[in-house]
Amino acid sequence: LGPTITVGEILVEIMATTVGTGFIEPQSLAGPYPSGAPAIFIDQVARMGGAAGIIAGVGDDDFGRLNVDRLRHDGVDVSAIAIHEDWPTGSAFVRYRPNGARDFVFNIARSAAGQVGLTSAAEALVRRAGHVHVMGTALTIPGARKVILFAVETVQARGGSVSLDPNLRKELLTDDGALDSFNQVLATADLLLPSGDELFTAAGRADEAAAVAKLLESGIGEIVLKRGEHGASFFGRGLPRIDCPAFTVDEVDPTGAGDCFGAAYLTCRRKGMAPDAALLHANAAGARNVTRLGPMEGVSTLAELTTFIAETPRR
Ligand code: ADP
């Protein structure tokens, strides 16, 4: 029907290379790496051979070029990435705590990433898209939110589909608009890709079975629950549940795993694969991604996933 598109933040990511307890103490950093959840997602779609485009903004600077060059090289349609002369490319700093948790310092609102809007190039991309993937992080950007709601409506009106990755980071939730638009997208989404507690938040239920049942009843066709190093599960309306254990890998950097996972699942499904095969490829894409430092450094081609699946033991 048309390419998979997404809307939202493109960032450079700079991360601590050692575990620490605060940002205020000097620490070793790695980066800049191309990043932003929507950018990682769409890059993974394109690397697997899916038609892919992104509506976003970067500054007229090296951080912007780092991202746009990578996306273009990997096959993403970059025609709707606005280059802003007056705003710098957005950034994210990531710190890892001793218990494995991550903290983020985002610079999105006062960057080019905060300026996403419906340009003529963005509208043209929306009008030829066949699928919209919505990232919760992007719903926290007011301009992006409007583009997302327009894209969801337009693409659904022409028979396309919608997926939603809740990914609502507490650091980014500044107003009610994000949650309101999140609920609007949730009400019409075909595929939901929550991780951890996001399932409970989306459903308003604290029990997994009850949350899944409520969301499937409300009209979502498929729910794929990401469980980190415990793999993932598929729930479909009228279909048996499928559990897929994780592949055994050495985790170097967890950032981006969920984005690669979602992109691989969606791309496999859009290519006509059954849910169990799509789930296996998605697990492989998530696992491969965590073995590399940098959120977008571990994206996979379909051939790389096939080899990885054949060679890697599962937990
Ligand atoms: P998110 O990044 O959205 O929080 P997860 O951390 O659950 O998502 O990771 C997404 C998927 O990536 C998991 O469902 C799993 O398939 C894979 N994955 C993540 N971490 C690991 C790991 N340490 N080992 C193997 N696979 C992993």
Side-chain angles (χ1 to χ4, degrees), residues 102 165 167 169 193-196 198 225-232 244-251 254-259 261 279 282-288 290 315:
R102 281 170 291 171
D165 184 332
N167 200 14
R169 299 217 176 278
L193 292 149
S195 70
E198 291 165 359
L225 182 60
K226 297 171 270 180
R227 302 181 194 273
E229 61 181 353
H230 302 295
C244 190
F247 288 93
T248 310
V249 292
D250 288 328
E251 183 177 295
T255 309
D259 310 322
F261 176 101
L279 192 63
N283 265 277
R288 280 194 91 243
V290 304
R315 285 178 204 273

Side-chain angles (χ1 to χ4, degrees), residues 63-245:
F63 286 171
R65 284 184 277 280
L66 171 73
N67 275 287
V68 177
D69 288 353
R70 170 68 68 83
L71 293 170
R72 186 189 290 116
H73 173 268
D74 286 352
V76 177
D77 179 340
V78 298
S79 63
I81 301 179
I83 315 280
H84 294 273
E85 283 184 8
D86 300 337
W87 295 95
T89 299
S91 57
F93 283 84
V94 185
R95 167 191 84 181
Y96 302 91
R97 296 216 197 161
N99 68 0
R102 281 170 291 171
D103 292 315
F104 294 85
V105 172
F106 288 109
N107 169 27
I108 294 179
R110 287 164 208 239
S111 78
Q115 316 309 312
V116 176
L118 195 64
T119 59
S120 54
E123 189 173 343
L125 183 58
V126 168
R127 294 209 184 276
R128 59 175 190 274
H131 182 93
V132 185
H133 179 71
V134 179
M135 276 291 178
T137 49
L139 291 171
T140 66
I141 305 169
R145 198 184 287 163
K146 285 194 197 135
V147 179
I148 288 168
L149 296 178
F150 169 75
V152 165
E153 203 182 307
T154 307
V155 170
Q156 281 183 330
R158 60 190 294 261
S161 46
V162 170
S163 50
L164 172 62
D165 184 332
N167 200 14
L168 281 169
R169 299 217 176 278
K170 62 180 186 311
E171 296 89 341
L172 293 172
L173 280 174
T174 49
D175 65 359
D176 294 341
L179 284 177
D180 290 349
S181 53
F182 175 80
N183 287 323
Q184 256 177 280
V185 176
L186 183 65
T188 73
D190 303 282
L191 165 65
L192 183 69
L193 292 149
S195 70
D197 289 352
E198 291 165 359
L199 174 72
F200 307 131
T201 313
R205 297 275 189 283
D207 166 79
E208 189 175 301
V212 165
K214 187 185 169 198
L215 291 166
L216 291 178
E217 261 166 45
S218 76
I220 292 172
E222 299 184 7
I223 300 169
V224 182
L225 182 60
K226 297 171 270 180
R227 302 181 194 273
E229 61 181 353
H230 302 295
S233 303
F234 163 90
F235 306 90
R237 208 168 339 134
L239 295 170
R241 165 187 176 146
I242 306 168
D243 292 306
C244 190

